[in-house]
Amino acid sequence: MTPIRLATRASRLALWQTEHVASLLQAAGFETEIVPMQTTGDAVQDRSLAKIGSKGVFTEELEASLLRGETHLAVHSAKDVQSSIPRELELLAFLEREQANDVVLSYDENFSLDKPGIVLGTSSTRRKAQLRRFYPNASTAEARGNLQTRLRKLEEGQFDALVLAYAGVHRMGYEHLVRHTLPADQFVPATGQGSIAIECAASLGDDLKARLKAALDHADTHTCLLAERAFLHTMEGGCSIPSFALARLDGHGRLRLHGGLISLSGEEYVEEIQTVETAAEAHALGVSVADAVLGRGGREILASIREHRG
């Protein structure tokens, strides 16, 4: 059997995620081979993500390898996948979602978010805007790099704490540094946060795709991500736009989506929560929530952000 070749970023977290995917595939009878790559987002560390300009800063090189037939699957953090992907590619599966919250890490066991004048490290446009709104006593500092690089900067005192996704912190074993878990109903995370996305070429054989999906896909997570990604696509958003979306299924099969947009200053904030009765309505739910946000001031916020960036 030809090994399933898995394209991945070369960071420790990305490799952990890909090794996890490989273990699931091996349990289903596949042989695997991991193919690490450097992406634009990894190579360019002296500018914020918003200033790099490319939508697929952490995915483009992996997708190119799929299109060239060099690899079978690309393993992404779902929140890094741009809102629109080329027609020649498809998102085949989403692994079961980890806890989606953002968390605050510090080496100071007595760290408090309420302390005046604190500096919080983050490279996320969304997190910066939410911090300005919900924690105006704090200022933010750019924190590019992989998790270990950011923690080294934290240890050096470049900031008092880091704001990160819990999923990566947990996967790398740094939970002992978590001083505060930000509530997901207020500090709503990015689309896809906490899940691993599996991408393939649309031309990959249907039988093989079905077997790979059966080994990897978590149906409830996939439903939630369909709604969140429909929201993001309708908003025409990416990692440089401070939008947020979190979908959840309840025990009765109803799907709830909390989505919105915040201005760079944190002053303007539009959110919408809607629920549908069945998972089959996931895509329509995402579109409906985005349309409501855009209609209640979201378009003006987006226009202001684009004007600000020239």
Side-chain angles (χ1 to χ4, degrees), residues 18-108:
T18 307
E19 286 162 5
H20 177 55
V21 170
S23 70
L24 294 173
L25 290 173
Q26 289 159 14
F30 291 97
E31 292 183 23
T32 61
E33 181 183 344
I34 294 174
V35 185
M37 300 177 183
Q38 187 179 56
T39 66
T40 302
D42 297 312
V44 181
Q45 293 290 321
D46 59 348
R47 282 172 281 162
S48 68
L49 294 177
K51 291 179 180 175
I52 294 176
S54 172
K55 281 188 174 181
V57 293
F58 292 122
T59 61
E60 199 168 34
E61 289 76 7
L62 279 60
E63 291 178 332
S65 78
L66 295 175
L67 292 171
R68 290 192 298 265
E70 297 168 355
T71 55
H72 299 91
L73 301 177
V75 181
H76 308 293
S77 292
K79 66 183 177 64
D80 290 338
V81 181
Q82 60 270 39
S83 57
S84 296
I85 64 173
R87 280 180 299 175
E88 299 85 2
L89 299 172
E90 66 178 82
L91 292 172
L92 180 69
F94 294 99
L95 273 62
E96 183 172 6
R97 184 177 231 156
E98 184 86 64
Q99 180 179 318
N101 301 65
D102 284 315
V103 292
V104 180
L105 275 67
S106 178
Y107 285 103
D108 179 3

Coordinates of all heavy atoms in Angstrom, one line a residue, residues 18-108:
T18 N -0.2 16.6 13.3 CA -0.1 15.7 12.2 C 0.3 14.2 12.6 O -0.2 13.3 12.1 CB 1.0 16.2 11.2 OG1 0.7 17.5 10.9 CG2 1.1 15.3 9.9
E19 N 1.0 14.1 13.7 CA 1.3 12.8 14.3 C 0.0 12.2 14.8 O -0.2 11.0 14.7 CB 2.4 12.9 15.3 CG 3.8 13.1 14.7 CD 4.8 13.6 15.8 OE1 4.4 13.8 16.9 OE2 5.9 13.9 15.4
H20 N -0.9 13.0 15.3 CA -2.2 12.6 15.8 C -3.0 12.1 14.7 O -3.6 11.0 14.7 CB -2.9 13.7 16.6 CG -4.2 13.3 17.1 ND1 -4.5 12.2 17.9 CD2 -5.4 13.9 16.8 CE1 -5.8 12.2 18.1 NE2 -6.4 13.2 17.5
V21 N -3.0 12.8 13.6 CA -3.7 12.4 12.4 C -3.2 11.1 11.9 O -3.9 10.1 11.5 CB -3.7 13.5 11.3 CG1 -4.2 12.9 9.9 CG2 -4.5 14.7 11.7
A22 N -1.8 11.0 11.8 CA -1.2 9.7 11.4 C -1.6 8.5 12.2 O -1.8 7.4 11.7 CB 0.3 9.9 11.4
S23 N -1.7 8.7 13.5 CA -2.1 7.6 14.4 C -3.5 7.1 14.1 O -3.8 5.9 14.2 CB -1.9 8.0 15.9 OG -2.9 9.0 16.3
L24 N -4.4 8.1 13.8 CA -5.8 7.7 13.5 C -5.8 6.9 12.2 O -6.5 5.9 12.1 CB -6.7 8.9 13.4 CG -6.9 9.7 14.7 CD1 -7.6 11.0 14.5 CD2 -7.6 8.9 15.8
L25 N -5.0 7.4 11.2 CA -5.0 6.7 9.9 C -4.4 5.3 10.1 O -4.8 4.3 9.5 CB -4.2 7.5 8.9 CG -4.9 8.8 8.5 CD1 -3.9 9.6 7.6 CD2 -6.2 8.5 7.7
Q26 N -3.3 5.2 10.9 CA -2.7 3.9 11.1 C -3.6 2.9 11.8 O -3.6 1.7 11.4 CB -1.4 4.1 11.9 CG -0.3 4.8 11.1 CD 0.8 5.4 12.0 OE1 0.9 5.1 13.2 NE2 1.6 6.3 11.4
A27 N -4.4 3.4 12.7 CA -5.4 2.6 13.4 C -6.4 2.1 12.4 O -7.0 1.0 12.6 CB -6.1 3.3 14.5
A28 N -6.6 2.8 11.3 CA -7.6 2.4 10.3 C -7.0 1.5 9.2 O -7.6 1.2 8.2 CB -8.3 3.6 9.7
G29 N -5.7 1.2 9.3 CA -5.0 0.3 8.4 C -4.1 1.0 7.3 O -3.6 0.3 6.5
F30 N -4.0 2.3 7.4 CA -3.2 3.1 6.4 C -1.7 3.2 6.9 O -1.4 3.3 8.1 CB -3.7 4.5 6.2 CG -5.0 4.6 5.6 CD1 -6.2 4.7 6.3 CD2 -5.1 4.5 4.2 CE1 -7.4 4.8 5.7 CE2 -6.3 4.6 3.5 CZ -7.5 4.8 4.3
E31 N -0.8 3.1 5.9 CA 0.6 3.6 6.2 C 0.7 5.1 6.0 O -0.1 5.6 5.1 CB 1.6 2.8 5.3 CG 1.7 1.3 5.6 CD 2.7 0.7 4.7 OE1 3.6 1.4 4.2 OE2 2.6 -0.5 4.4
T32 N 1.5 5.7 6.7 CA 1.6 7.2 6.6 C 3.0 7.7 6.5 O 4.0 7.0 6.9 CB 1.0 7.9 7.8 OG1 1.7 7.5 9.0 CG2 -0.5 7.5 8.0
E33 N 3.2 8.9 5.9 CA 4.5 9.5 5.8 C 4.2 11.0 6.1 O 3.4 11.6 5.4 CB 5.1 9.3 4.5 CG 6.5 10.0 4.3 CD 7.1 9.8 2.9 OE1 6.6 8.9 2.2 OE2 8.0 10.5 2.6
I34 N 5.0 11.6 7.0 CA 4.8 13.0 7.3 C 5.8 13.9 6.5 O 7.0 13.6 6.5 CB 5.0 13.3 8.8 CG1 3.8 12.6 9.6 CG2 5.0 14.8 9.1 CD1 3.9 12.6 11.1
V35 N 5.3 14.9 5.9 CA 6.1 15.8 5.0 C 6.1 17.2 5.5 O 5.2 18.0 5.2 CB 5.6 15.8 3.5 CG1 6.5 16.6 2.6 CG2 5.4 14.3 3.0
P36 N 7.1 17.6 6.4 CA 7.1 19.0 6.9 C 7.5 20.0 5.9 O 8.3 19.8 5.0 CB 8.1 18.9 8.1 CG 8.4 17.4 8.2 CD 8.2 16.8 6.9
M37 N 6.8 21.2 6.0 CA 7.1 22.3 5.1 C 7.2 23.6 5.8 O 6.5 23.8 6.9 CB 6.0 22.4 4.0 CG 5.9 21.2 3.2 SD 4.5 21.3 2.0 CE 4.6 19.7 1.2
Q38 N 7.9 24.6 5.3 CA 7.8 25.9 5.8 C 6.9 26.8 5.0 O 6.9 26.8 3.8 CB 9.2 26.6 5.8 CG 9.3 27.9 6.5 CD 10.6 28.5 6.5 OE1 11.3 28.8 5.5 NE2 11.2 28.9 7.7
T39 N 6.0 27.5 5.7 CA 5.0 28.3 5.1 C 5.4 29.8 5.1 O 6.3 30.1 5.9 CB 3.6 28.2 5.7 OG1 3.7 28.7 7.1 CG2 3.1 26.7 5.8
T40 N 4.7 30.6 4.4 CA 5.0 32.1 4.4 C 4.9 32.6 5.8 O 5.7 33.4 6.3 CB 4.1 32.8 3.5 OG1 4.2 32.3 2.2 CG2 4.4 34.3 3.5
G41 N 3.9 32.2 6.5 CA 3.6 32.7 7.9 C 4.7 32.3 8.9 O 5.0 33.0 9.8
D42 N 5.4 31.1 8.6 CA 6.5 30.7 9.4 C 7.8 31.4 9.1 O 8.6 31.8 9.9 CB 6.7 29.2 9.3 CG 5.5 28.4 9.7 OD1 5.0 28.6 10.8 OD2 5.1 27.5 9.0
A43 N 8.0 31.7 7.8 CA 9.2 32.3 7.3 C 9.3 33.8 7.6 O 10.4 34.3 8.0 CB 9.4 32.1 5.8
V44 N 8.2 34.5 7.6 CA 8.1 36.0 7.8 C 7.7 36.2 9.2 O 6.6 36.1 9.6 CB 7.2 36.7 6.8 CG1 7.2 38.2 7.0 CG2 7.6 36.3 5.4
Q45 N 8.7 36.6 10.1 CA 8.4 36.8 11.5 C 8.5 38.3 11.9 O 8.2 38.6 13.1 CB 9.4 36.0 12.3 CG 9.2 34.5 12.2 CD 8.0 34.0 12.8 OE1 7.6 34.5 13.9 NE2 7.3 33.0 12.2
D46 N 8.9 39.2 11.0 CA 9.2 40.6 11.4 C 8.0 41.5 11.1 O 8.0 42.7 11.3 CB 10.4 41.1 10.7 CG 10.3 41.1 9.1 OD1 9.3 40.4 8.6 OD2 11.1 41.7 8.5
R47 N 6.8 40.9 10.7 CA 5.6 41.6 10.4 C 4.4 40.9 11.0 O 4.4 39.7 11.1 CB 5.4 41.8 8.9 CG 6.3 42.9 8.3 CD 6.1 42.9 6.8 NE 6.9 41.8 6.2 CZ 6.7 41.3 4.9 NH1 5.7 41.8 4.2 NH2 7.5 40.4 4.5
S48 N 3.4 41.7 11.3 CA 2.2 41.0 11.8 C 1.5 40.3 10.7 O 1.7 40.6 9.5 CB 1.2 42.1 12.4 OG 0.7 42.9 11.3
L49 N 0.6 39.3 11.0 CA -0.1 38.6 10.0 C -0.9 39.5 9.1 O -1.0 39.3 7.8 CB -1.0 37.5 10.6 CG -0.3 36.4 11.4 CD1 -1.3 35.5 12.0 CD2 0.6 35.6 10.4
A50 N -1.5 40.5 9.7 CA -2.3 41.4 8.9 C -1.5 42.2 7.8 O -2.1 42.6 6.8 CB -3.0 42.4 9.8
K51 N -0.2 42.3 8.1 CA 0.6 43.1 7.2 C 1.3 42.2 6.1 O 1.9 42.8 5.1 CB 1.7 43.9 7.9 CG 1.0 45.0 8.8 CD 2.1 45.8 9.6 CE 1.4 46.9 10.4 NZ 2.4 47.6 11.2
I52 N 1.3 40.9 6.3 CA 1.9 40.1 5.3 C 1.1 40.1 4.0 O 1.7 40.1 2.9 CB 2.1 38.6 5.8 CG1 3.1 38.6 7.0 CG2 2.5 37.7 4.7 CD1 3.2 37.2 7.6
G53 N -0.2 40.1 4.2 CA -1.1 40.3 3.0 C -1.7 39.1 2.4 O -2.8 39.1 1.8
S54 N -1.0 37.9 2.5 CA -1.5 36.7 1.8 C -2.6 36.1 2.7 O -2.4 36.0 3.9 CB -0.4 35.7 1.6 OG -0.9 34.5 1.2
K55 N -3.7 35.7 2.1 CA -4.8 35.1 2.9 C -4.4 33.7 3.5 O -4.7 33.3 4.6 CB -6.0 34.9 2.0 CG -6.8 36.2 1.9 CD -8.1 35.9 1.2 CE -9.0 37.2 1.1 NZ -10.3 36.9 0.5
G56 N -3.6 32.9 2.7 CA -3.2 31.6 3.1 C -1.8 31.5 3.7 O -1.1 30.6 3.3
V57 N -1.5 32.4 4.6 CA -0.1 32.5 5.1 C 0.4 31.2 5.7 O 1.6 30.9 5.7 CB 0.1 33.7 6.0 CG1 -0.1 35.0 5.3 CG2 -0.8 33.6 7.2
F58 N -0.5 30.4 6.3 CA 0.0 29.1 6.9 C -0.5 27.9 6.1 O -0.3 26.8 6.6 CB -0.6 29.0 8.3 CG 0.0 30.0 9.3 CD1 -0.8 30.9 9.9 CD2 1.4 30.0 9.5 CE1 -0.2 31.8 10.8 CE2 2.0 31.0 10.3 CZ 1.2 31.9 11.0
T59 N -1.1 28.1 4.9 CA -1.7 26.9 4.2 C -1.2 26.9 2.7 O -1.3 25.8 2.1 CB -3.2 27.0 4.2 OG1 -3.6 28.2 3.5 CG2 -3.8 27.0 5.6
E60 N -0.8 28.0 2.2 CA -0.5 28.0 0.7 C 0.4 27.0 0.2 O 0.2 26.3 -0.8 CB 0.0 29.4 0.3 CG -0.2 29.8 -1.1 CD 0.0 31.3 -1.3 OE1 0.9 31.9 -0.7 OE2 -0.6 31.8 -2.2
E61 N 1.6 26.8 0.9 CA 2.6 25.9 0.4 C 2.1 24.4 0.6 O 2.4 23.6 -0.3 CB 3.9 26.0 1.2 CG 4.7 27.3 0.9 CD 4.1 28.6 1.5 OE1 3.1 28.5 2.3 OE2 4.5 29.7 1.2
L62 N 1.3 24.2 1.6 CA 0.8 22.8 1.8 C -0.2 22.5 0.7 O -0.3 21.4 0.1 CB 0.1 22.7 3.1 CG 1.0 22.4 4.4 CD1 2.0 23.5 4.6 CD2 0.1 22.3 5.6
E63 N -1.1 23.5 0.3 CA -2.1 23.3 -0.7 C -1.4 23.1 -2.1 O -1.9 22.3 -2.9 CB -3.0 24.5 -0.8 CG -3.9 24.6 0.4 CD -4.8 25.8 0.4 OE1 -4.4 26.9 -0.2 OE2 -5.9 25.8 1.0
A64 N -0.3 23.8 -2.3 CA 0.4 23.6 -3.6 C 0.9 22.2 -3.7 O 0.9 21.6 -4.8 CB 1.6 24.6 -3.7
S65 N 1.4 21.6 -2.6 CA 1.9 20.2 -2.7 C 0.7 19.3 -3.0 O 0.9 18.3 -3.7 CB 2.5 19.8 -1.4 OG 1.6 19.5 -0.3
L66 N -0.5 19.6 -2.5 CA -1.7 18.7 -2.9 C -1.9 18.8 -4.4 O -2.2 17.8 -5.0 CB -2.9 19.2 -2.1 CG -2.9 19.0 -0.6 CD1 -4.1 19.6 0.0 CD2 -2.8 17.5 -0.2
L67 N -1.9 20.1 -4.9 CA -2.2 20.3 -6.3 C -1.2 19.6 -7.2 O -1.5 19.2 -8.3 CB -2.3 21.8 -6.6 CG -3.5 22.5 -5.9 CD1 -3.4 24.0 -6.1 CD2 -4.9 22.0 -6.5
R68 N 0.0 19.6 -6.8 CA 1.1 18.9 -7.6 C 1.1 17.4 -7.4 O 1.8 16.7 -8.1 CB 2.5 19.5 -7.2 CG 2.7 20.9 -7.6 CD 4.2 21.3 -7.4 NE 4.6 21.2 -6.0 CZ 4.7 22.2 -5.1 NH1 4.3 23.4 -5.5 NH2 5.1 22.0 -3.9
G69 N 0.2 16.9 -6.5 CA 0.2 15.5 -6.3 C 1.3 14.9 -5.5 O 1.5 13.7 -5.4
E70 N 2.1 15.8 -4.8 CA 3.2 15.3 -4.0 C 2.7 14.8 -2.6 O 3.5 14.0 -2.0 CB 4.2 16.5 -3.8 CG 4.8 17.0 -5.0 CD 5.5 18.4 -4.8 OE1 5.5 18.9 -3.7 OE2 6.1 18.8 -5.8
T71 N 1.6 15.2 -2.2 CA 1.0 14.7 -0.9 C -0.4 14.4 -1.1 O -1.1 14.9 -2.1 CB 1.2 15.8 0.2 OG1 0.6 17.0 -0.2 CG2 2.7 16.0 0.6
H72 N -1.0 13.6 -0.2 CA -2.4 13.2 -0.3 C -3.3 14.1 0.6 O -4.4 14.4 0.2 CB -2.6 11.8 0.2 CG -1.8 10.8 -0.6 ND1 -0.5 10.4 -0.3 CD2 -2.1 10.1 -1.8 CE1 -0.1 9.5 -1.2 NE2 -1.1 9.3 -2.1
L73 N -2.8 14.5 1.8 CA -3.6 15.3 2.7 C -2.7 16.4 3.3 O -1.5 16.2 3.5 CB -4.1 14.4 3.9 CG -5.0 13.2 3.6 CD1 -5.3 12.4 4.8 CD2 -6.3 13.6 2.8
A74 N -3.4 17.5 3.5 CA -2.7 18.6 4.3 C -3.4 18.7 5.6 O -4.6 18.7 5.7 CB -2.8 19.9 3.5
V75 N -2.6 18.9 6.7 CA -3.1 19.0 8.0 C -3.0 20.4 8.5 O -1.9 20.9 8.6 CB -2.4 18.0 9.0 CG1 -2.9 18.1 10.4 CG2 -2.4 16.6 8.5
H76 N -4.1 21.1 8.8 CA -4.1 22.5 9.2 C -4.8 22.6 10.6 O -5.7 21.9 10.9 CB -4.9 23.3 8.2 CG -4.6 23.2 6.8 ND1 -3.4 23.6 6.3 CD2 -5.3 22.7 5.7 CE1 -3.4 23.4 4.9 NE2 -4.5 22.9 4.6
S77 N -4.4 23.7 11.3 CA -5.3 24.2 12.3 C -6.4 24.8 11.6 O -6.3 25.6 10.7 CB -4.6 25.2 13.2 OG -3.5 24.7 14.0
A78 N -7.7 24.4 12.0 CA -8.8 24.8 11.2 C -9.0 26.3 11.1 O -9.4 26.9 10.1 CB -10.1 24.2 11.7
K79 N -8.5 27.0 12.2 CA -8.7 28.5 12.2 C -7.7 29.2 11.2 O -7.9 30.4 10.9 CB -8.5 29.0 13.6 CG -7.1 28.9 14.1 CD -7.0 29.4 15.6 CE -5.6 29.2 16.2 NZ -4.6 30.0 15.6
D80 N -6.7 28.4 10.7 CA -5.8 29.0 9.7 C -6.3 28.9 8.3 O -5.7 29.5 7.4 CB -4.4 28.3 9.8 CG -3.7 28.6 11.1 OD1 -4.0 29.7 11.7 OD2 -2.8 27.9 11.5
V81 N -7.3 28.1 8.0 CA -7.8 27.9 6.6 C -8.6 29.0 6.2 O -9.6 29.4 6.8 CB -8.6 26.6 6.6 CG1 -9.0 26.3 5.1 CG2 -7.8 25.4 7.1
Q82 N -8.2 29.6 5.0 CA -8.9 30.8 4.5 C -10.3 30.5 4.2 O -10.7 29.4 4.0 CB -8.1 31.4 3.3 CG -8.0 30.4 2.1 CD -6.8 29.5 2.1 OE1 -6.4 29.1 3.2 NE2 -6.2 29.3 1.0
S83 N -11.1 31.6 4.1 CA -12.6 31.4 3.9 C -13.0 30.8 2.6 O -14.0 30.1 2.5 CB -13.3 32.7 4.1 OG -12.8 33.7 3.2
S84 N -12.1 31.0 1.6 CA -12.4 30.4 0.3 C -11.1 29.6 -0.1 O -10.0 30.1 0.0 CB -12.7 31.4 -0.8 OG -13.8 32.1 -0.5
I85 N -11.3 28.4 -0.6 CA -10.2 27.6 -1.0 C -10.4 27.3 -2.5 O -11.5 27.4 -3.1 CB -10.0 26.2 -0.2 CG1 -11.3 25.3 -0.5 CG2 -9.8 26.5 1.2 CD1 -11.1 24.0 0.1
P86 N -9.3 27.0 -3.3 CA -9.4 26.7 -4.7 C -10.4 25.6 -5.0 O -10.5 24.7 -4.2 CB -8.0 26.4 -5.1 CG -7.1 27.0 -4.0 CD -7.9 26.9 -2.8
R87 N -11.0 25.7 -6.1 CA -12.0 24.7 -6.5 C -11.4 23.3 -6.7 O -12.1 22.3 -6.5 CB -12.7 25.0 -7.9 CG -13.8 26.1 -7.8 CD -14.3 26.4 -9.1 NE -13.3 27.0 -10.0 CZ -13.5 27.2 -11.3 NH1 -14.7 27.0 -11.9 NH2 -12.6 27.7 -12.1
E88 N -10.1 23.2 -6.9 CA -9.4 21.9 -7.1 C -9.1 21.2 -5.8 O -8.6 20.1 -5.8 CB -8.1 22.2 -7.8 CG -8.2 22.7 -9.2 CD -8.3 24.3 -9.2 OE1 -8.2 24.9 -8.1 OE2 -8.5 24.9 -10.3
L89 N -9.4 21.9 -4.7 CA -9.2 21.4 -3.3 C -10.5 21.2 -2.6 O -11.5 21.9 -2.9 CB -8.3 22.3 -2.5 CG -6.9 22.5 -3.1 CD1 -6.1 23.5 -2.3 CD2 -6.1 21.2 -3.1
E90 N -10.5 20.4 -1.5 CA -11.7 20.3 -0.7 C -11.3 20.0 0.8 O -10.2 19.4 1.0 CB -12.7 19.3 -1.2 CG -12.2 17.8 -1.1 CD -13.3 16.8 -1.6 OE1 -13.4 16.7 -2.8 OE2 -14.0 16.3 -0.7
L91 N -12.1 20.5 1.7 CA -11.9 20.2 3.1 C -12.6 18.8 3.4 O -13.9 18.8 3.4 CB -12.4 21.3 4.0 CG -11.6 22.6 3.9 CD1 -12.3 23.7 4.6 CD2 -10.2 22.4 4.4
L92 N -11.9 17.8 3.6 CA -12.4 16.5 3.6 C -12.9 16.1 5.0 O -14.0 15.5 5.1 CB -11.3 15.5 3.3 CG -11.6 14.0 3.3 CD1 -12.6 13.7 2.2 CD2 -10.4 13.1 3.2
A93 N -12.3 16.6 6.1 CA -12.6 16.2 7.4 C -12.2 17.2 8.4 O -11.3 18.0 8.2 CB -12.0 14.8 7.7
F94 N -12.9 17.2 9.6 CA -12.5 18.0 10.7 C -12.5 17.0 11.9 O -13.4 16.3 12.2 CB -13.5 19.1 11.0 CG -13.6 20.1 9.9 CD1 -14.6 20.1 8.9 CD2 -12.6 21.2 9.9 CE1 -14.6 21.1 7.9 CE2 -12.7 22.1 8.9 CZ -13.7 22.1 7.9
L95 N -11.3 17.0 12.6 CA -11.2 16.2 13.8 C -12.0 16.8 15.0 O -12.3 18.0 15.0 CB -9.7 16.1 14.2 CG -8.9 14.9 13.5 CD1 -8.9 15.1 12.0 CD2 -7.5 14.8 14.1
E96 N -12.3 15.9 15.9 CA -13.1 16.3 17.1 C -12.5 17.6 17.7 O -11.3 17.6 18.0 CB -13.2 15.2 18.1 CG -14.1 15.6 19.3 CD -14.4 14.4 20.2 OE1 -13.8 13.3 20.0 OE2 -15.3 14.6 21.1
R97 N -13.3 18.5 18.0 CA -12.8 19.8 18.5 C -12.4 19.7 19.9 O -13.0 19.1 20.8 CB -13.9 20.9 18.4 CG -13.6 22.3 18.8 CD -14.7 23.2 18.5 NE -14.3 24.4 17.8 CZ -15.1 25.1 17.0 NH1 -16.4 24.8 16.9 NH2 -14.6 26.2 16.4
E98 N -11.2 20.3 20.2 CA -10.8 20.6 21.6 C -11.5 21.7 22.2 O -12.3 22.4 21.5 CB -9.3 20.9 21.5 CG -8.5 21.1 22.8 CD -8.0 19.8 23.3 OE1 -7.1 19.2 22.7 OE2 -8.5 19.4 24.4
Q99 N -11.4 22.0 23.5 CA -12.0 23.2 24.1 C -11.6 24.4 23.3 O -10.4 24.6 22.9 CB -11.5 23.3 25.5 CG -12.0 24.5 26.3 CD -11.4 24.5 27.7 OE1 -11.3 23.5 28.3 NE2 -11.0 25.7 28.2
A100 N -12.5 25.2 22.9 CA -12.3 26.3 21.9 C -11.8 27.6 22.6 O -11.4 28.5 21.8 CB -13.6 26.6 21.1
N101 N -11.9 27.8 23.9 CA -11.6 29.0 24.5 C -10.2 29.6 24.2 O -9.2 28.8 24.0 CB -11.7 28.9 26.0 CG -13.1 28.5 26.5 OD1 -13.5 27.4 26.2 ND2 -13.8 29.3 27.2
D102 N -10.0 30.9 24.4 CA -8.7 31.5 24.5 C -8.3 31.5 26.0 O -9.2 31.5 26.9 CB -8.7 33.0 24.0 CG -8.7 33.1 22.5 OD1 -7.9 32.3 21.9 OD2 -9.5 33.9 22.0
V103 N -7.0 31.4 26.3 CA -6.5 31.4 27.6 C -5.4 32.4 27.8 O -4.8 32.8 26.8 CB -6.1 30.0 28.1 CG1 -7.3 29.1 28.2 CG2 -5.0 29.4 27.1
V104 N -5.1 32.8 29.0 CA -4.0 33.7 29.3 C -3.0 32.9 30.1 O -3.2 32.3 31.1 CB -4.5 34.9 30.2 CG1 -3.4 35.9 30.5 CG2 -5.7 35.6 29.5
L105 N -1.7 33.0 29.6 CA -0.6 32.3 30.2 C 0.4 33.3 30.8 O 0.7 34.3 30.2 CB 0.2 31.5 29.1 CG -0.3 30.1 28.8 CD1 -1.7 30.2 28.1 CD2 0.6 29.3 27.9
S106 N 0.9 32.9 31.9 CA 1.9 33.8 32.6 C 2.8 32.9 33.5 O 2.3 31.9 34.0 CB 1.3 34.9 33.4 OG 2.3 35.6 34.0
Y107 N 4.1 33.3 33.6 CA 4.9 32.6 34.6 C 4.7 33.1 36.0 O 5.1 32.4 36.9 CB 6.4 32.8 34.2 CG 6.8 32.0 33.0 CD1 7.0 32.6 31.7 CD2 7.1 30.6 33.1 CE1 7.4 31.8 30.6 CE2 7.5 29.9 32.0 CZ 7.6 30.5 30.8 OH 8.0 29.7 29.7
D108 N 4.0 34.2 36.1 CA 3.6 34.7 37.4 C 2.4 34.1 37.9 O 1.3 34.2 37.4 CB 3.4 36.3 37.3 CG 3.0 36.9 38.6 OD1 2.9 36.2 39.6 OD2 2.7 38.1 38.6

